[in-house]
Amino acid sequence: MPPFLGELHRQYILKVSKDKDSFEYLMTEHLRMSGVYWGLMGLALMGRDVKEEMGGGGALADWVMRCYCPAEGGFGGGEGHDPHILYTLSALQVLALLGELRRADAAAVTRYVAALQRPDGAFAGDRWGEVDTRFSYCALASLALLGTLRGGAVDVGAAAAFVARCRNFDGGFGCAPGAESHAGQVFTCVGALAIARALHLVDAPLLGWWLCARQCDSGGLNGRPEKQADVCYSWWILSALAILGRRAWIDGAALARFILRCQDGDGGGVAERPGNMADIFHTFFGIAGLVLLGHLKTDGSGGADGIVYCDVDPVYALPSALVRELGLESQVLEPVPAAAAAAA
Amino acid sequence: MAMYVDQQPLPGWEDVTPIPQAECENPVARIAYASDYETAMDYFRAAQASGELSERALELTADIIDMNSAHYTAWQYRRRCLFALNKDLAEELSYVRDVALSNPKNYQIWYHRRAVVEQLGDASTEIPFVDEVLQLDAKNYHAWAHRQWALKTYGGWEGELEETEALLTADLRNNSAWNHRWFVIHNAGVAVTAEAVAAEAEFALRHIERAVHNESAWNYLRGYLVDGASFDKHPQVKAHCQKLLAEHSGAADCAHLHNLLAEAHEQEGTEESLNTAIELLQKLRNDIDPVREKYWDRRIARATAKLERLVCA
């Protein structure tokens, strides 16, 4: 089993966050809000104090608020970018990680999200009207973070009903009714239903099977049948399985080995598959996958590297301690008992 | 502004003061591409700030998209310009096609295309366009979702089933094509009768014969066998699978085949069939598919519990 290069990844994340002159920095301006969230989460799961790592966090929180569009109530991916529900969730997650959630105008952001709900329960991503189940997750998670999920601003039941219409014959979920099952969409749908407390709308045994069938010979997970393994599915699939109480159905050692082989041993960071270039997105999901697998110990019993890793909440994709502190609730299924107990 | 010392103002924009990226204090030498992009973005911010919807703004969005096709705000601004200027939307579809073929994994072009088609009120170009993208990548998720939207909104179902057959003949492992077949069968307005189910099961089994390890075909087949008596209703499926197990060269280590047969035997529910199911499941757990050991343990436990209830009754 290759070693986990925690400190190297920390250096990688900090370097990327500071290198404002890089080509990559320039070209990802429009989704920087999500990039910041991925980077902070990578640090947080490795037990870092993210405010301290970000020089106090004040300047970063100020930047987040500069991406807020008061006229609409949503956040854009970068300054001067139109608001979008994807970046609204990322913004709230970043503020939460910095302990600055109070800076968001809960009433205004709630109104923004609520206005995006359509009569059939689906959510548009922005005022242009594109619909995708990812936006259902972003909407419900955003309101949960703001504490306004159950206040009647959105129809949670209708939101769940729309997600249920995106369930397919294989137990999986797609971006819209009838669209192909895809592991990323499965996470957002199962996550949305977990927040809505409507997991009865999932065929858990069937979906659990479809999810664990994503494990390839390499030990890695793919996103759909006959596609290549990619580290990010370590998160999308493992978290969905955790919510469904079936995390054990993945061969954890084989997956851990795959993720560890995706590390860049020179510059740090994690790539989508062994040998490719690292990026912030895959770095976060690789670390989160290793934490969910229990490969990185969160009880302080970790190895010689001295890092105390932090549990990650599979529904909100935030540190579990933060989720508890914020009082965020969701439904998760009891872990399916091991074989011996089941026979009774 | 220090960064414009070397650069001329952007031609056609002499009357505008560009707005630089806020965080940038110490520009260092960059490659020319990045410098062009920055210049375009600086003028774009200025246009957004003034709310200018013009030909030159439209061109500017094309420049930005050319350099960074994922820039969603540029796409949105482009739409605003297109609609405000009442541009030829058929021409726009042609432009989007060019961008799509160079950037097939891009999310933004698909919604843009949809918005333009909705405004145009004519979707006749869409299936052929999706076909072109699928030539590059037959599993492009956005392309398939777009095709489904076009069919649901504007119709055009004739030929879709044949399309899936052609794609599956070319690559029977194309999960998207299997999904689309299910979509067409269940959404084209024709009732899904027992005969239709039998025909689809037969279709799946034909492709399974060609590549017995093909997960998609098995999932498709199983999709039709969901109710508690499905194997009774379609005994030919179990018979076909037993024949495969006995005769097909790839059968011995085919997890999906063993899995479906185990389900069929378990559903039958007699002492003998449950024992057969358990045997198949143990083979899966120990030999064929040990990576999913915990899942098979669960299935074995379930079948064992059924057997025990039967024997004790």
Side-chain angles (χ1 to χ4, degrees):
Chain A
M1 190 75 79
F4 176 68
L5 308 168
E7 181 54 28
L8 206 56
H9 301 319
R10 172 177 169 259
Q11 295 300 338
Y12 169 77
I13 295 171
L14 292 175
K15 181 170 83 82
V16 167
S17 74
K18 291 183 179 132
D19 192 0
K20 298 193 184 345
D21 295 328
S22 75
F23 183 69
E24 190 193 350
Y25 191 84
L26 189 62
M27 287 297 164
T28 54
E29 183 217 21
H30 60 283
L31 54 66
R32 181 139 315 121
M33 194 61 73
S34 297
V36 170
Y37 159 70
W38 299 325
L40 291 186
M41 277 302 293
L43 295 170
L45 294 184
M46 291 195 288
R48 307 303 303 180
D49 179 333
V50 298
K51 283 178 76 158
E52 209 178 283
E53 294 279 46
M54 294 293 117
L60 185 53
D62 288 344
W63 171 80
V64 172
M65 294 315 297
R66 285 203 300 276
C67 298
Y68 176 64
C69 308
E72 291 193 52
F75 292 80
E79 283 186 73
H81 281 267
D82 292 347
H84 196 285
I85 206 168
L86 288 170
Y87 307 115
T88 298
L89 175 60
S90 293
L92 295 175
Q93 288 169 319
V94 170
L95 289 174
L97 284 162
L98 296 174
E100 302 274 351
L101 200 45
R102 81 191 88 83
R103 290 185 68 168
D105 180 343
V109 180
T110 298
R111 273 195 302 275
Y112 169 75
V113 171
L116 293 172
Q117 187 167 35
R118 315 237 299 201
D120 63 358
F123 282 86
D126 59 21
R127 61 187 170 89
W128 291 92
E130 181 193 0
V131 165
D132 186 311
T133 47
R134 289 179 295 148
F135 307 151
S136 301
Y137 172 77
C138 292
L140 298 186
S142 293
L143 296 189
L145 275 163
L146 294 169
T148 56
L149 181 67
R150 298 287 173 185
V154 299
D155 185 340
V156 177
F162 173 76
V163 169
R165 284 178 49 219
C166 300
R167 193 180 63 225
N168 291 317
F169 61 88
D170 49 19
F173 291 83
C175 63
E180 190 183 358
S181 299
H182 181 286
Q185 309 290 154
V186 168
F187 165 72
T188 56
C189 288
V190 172
L193 292 176
I195 298 172
R197 297 186 166 277
L199 287 175
H200 59 278
L201 297 172
V202 179
D203 183 340
L206 183 60
L207 178 54
W209 158 249
W210 188 88
L211 288 168
C212 77
R214 297 303 107 243
Q215 190 155 30
C216 309
D217 292 338
S218 62
L221 308 179
N222 64 22
R224 310 178 252 171
E226 303 293 339
K227 297 281 276 177
Q228 280 192 59
D230 179 325
V231 150
C232 68
Y233 297 119
S234 310
W235 169 261
W236 307 126
I237 289 169
L238 217 47
S239 54
L241 281 169
I243 296 169
L244 299 177
R246 289 158 166 86
R247 192 184 334 192
W249 287 4
I250 291 286
D251 180 337
L255 177 58
R257 206 170 299 117
F258 176 82
I259 299 172
L260 293 165
R261 288 192 304 123
C262 293
Q263 299 176 99
D264 179 341
D266 297 319
V270 180
E272 68 184 322
R273 57 186 65 96
N276 283 22
M277 258 184 67
D279 60 52
I280 289 287
F281 176 79
H282 290 98
T283 301
F284 163 46
F285 291 119
I287 297 173
L290 289 169
V291 165
L292 264 185
L293 279 173
H295 182 82
L296 297 174
K297 303 277 178 250
T298 56
D299 58 0
S301 70
D305 62 9
I307 304 178
V308 180
Y309 300 97
C310 293
D311 278 319
V312 61
D313 182 274
V315 174
Y316 291 101
L318 287 168
S320 301
L322 181 60
V323 168
R324 278 193 299 272
E325 187 190 310
L326 294 173
L328 305 183
E329 293 176 354
S330 63
Q331 180 192 9
V332 293
L333 300 184
E334 280 300 306
V336 153
Chain B
M1 302 275 147
M3 71 185 78
Y4 294 101
V5 161
D6 301 340
Q7 289 168 344
Q8 306 290 337
L10 197 65
W13 288 85
E14 292 81 2
D15 58 307
V16 170
T17 307
I19 300 177
Q21 183 168 272
E23 302 144 300
C24 198
E25 278 157 8
N26 293 306
V28 296
R30 297 165 205 246
I31 62 178
Y33 184 98
S35 159
D36 284 347
Y37 180 74
E38 265 190 297
T39 305
M41 280 306 300
D42 293 347
Y43 282 97
F44 181 62
R45 283 183 205 100
Q48 280 181 293
S50 72
E52 178 181 327
L53 300 176
S54 63
E55 283 294 339
R56 65 181 183 180
L58 187 65
E59 270 173 46
L60 194 55
T61 62
D63 288 339
I64 292 168
I65 284 163
D66 187 44
M67 292 184 277
N68 183 2
S69 68
H71 198 296
Y72 73 98
T73 303
W75 282 105
Q76 306 200 146
Y77 207 80
R78 186 174 178 82
R79 278 197 286 287
R80 291 174 61 195
C81 291
L82 285 170
F83 299 152
L85 300 171
N86 214 17
K87 299 294 291 182
D88 181 339
L89 296 180
E91 238 178 72
E92 180 66 7
L93 288 182
S94 188
Y95 165 76
V96 177
R97 173 189 170 274
D98 290 341
V99 177
L101 295 179
S102 340
N103 306 274
K105 288 253 157 100
N106 174 289
Y107 277 75
Q108 283 68 34
I109 66 118
W110 295 99
Y111 180 71
H112 184 80
R113 184 130 187 141
R114 193 181 295 207
V116 170
V117 166
E118 280 172 349
Q119 190 84 343
L120 203 46
D122 174 7
S124 56
T125 42
E126 296 315 278
I127 301 291
F129 168 66
V130 169
D131 280 339
E132 276 198 271
V133 175
L134 293 179
Q135 293 273 359
L136 293 180
D137 172 12
K139 300 181 184 182
N140 186 313
Y141 192 83
H142 310 292
W144 282 108
H146 190 78
R147 193 185 191 101
Q148 290 190 346
W149 164 79
L151 288 166
K152 270 192 174 162
T153 318
Y154 300 96
W157 299 92
E158 312 73 48
E160 284 301 292
L161 217 51
E162 289 72 23
E163 169 79 5
T164 66
E165 268 190 68
L167 278 164
L168 291 171
T169 301
D171 177 10
L172 47 70
R173 291 184 180 81
N174 186 336
N175 195 63
S176 310
W178 283 103
N179 183 73
H180 193 67
R181 191 174 175 90
W182 181 280
F183 174 79
V184 172
I185 299 255
H186 290 82
N187 286 278
V190 180
V192 186
T193 59
E195 288 73 33
V197 171
E200 287 309 297
E202 182 54 29
F203 179 87
L205 285 163
R206 261 205 317 277
H207 284 289
I208 283 167
E209 297 257 6
R210 294 171 62 207
V212 75
H213 293 279
N214 176 14
E215 191 181 347
S216 306
W218 287 103
N219 285 348
Y220 185 79
L221 175 61
R222 188 188 287 104
Y224 287 105
L225 302 171
V226 283
D227 76 57
S230 44
F231 287 99
D232 289 337
K233 289 184 186 158
H234 301 281
Q236 78 284 9
V237 172
K238 184 172 167 190
H240 198 139
C241 288
Q242 278 169 320
K243 188 157 180 282
L244 276 172
L245 187 62
E247 298 173 6
H248 196 290
S249 60
D253 63 351
C254 179
H256 305 294
L257 174 58
H258 284 73
N259 187 10
L260 198 77
L261 271 172
E263 274 180 59
H265 285 292
E266 202 182 327
Q267 199 182 91
E268 199 182 312
T270 64
E271 195 176 326
E272 186 187 336
S273 64
L274 284 168
N275 275 314
T276 309
I278 291 166
E279 225 175 272
L280 289 162
L281 292 167
Q282 275 167 348
K283 186 153 184 248
L284 280 158
R285 182 203 185 280
N286 298 324
D287 300 331
I288 300 176
D289 198 35
V291 74
R292 274 164 278 277
E293 177 188 280
K294 302 279 193 319
Y295 171 74
W296 300 120
D297 277 344
R298 185 87 189 136
R299 290 279 300 278
I300 291 166
R302 190 178 77 188
T304 307
K306 279 191 183 163
L307 183 62
E308 283 172 1
R309 280 196 296 275
L310 198 65
V311 166
C312 297

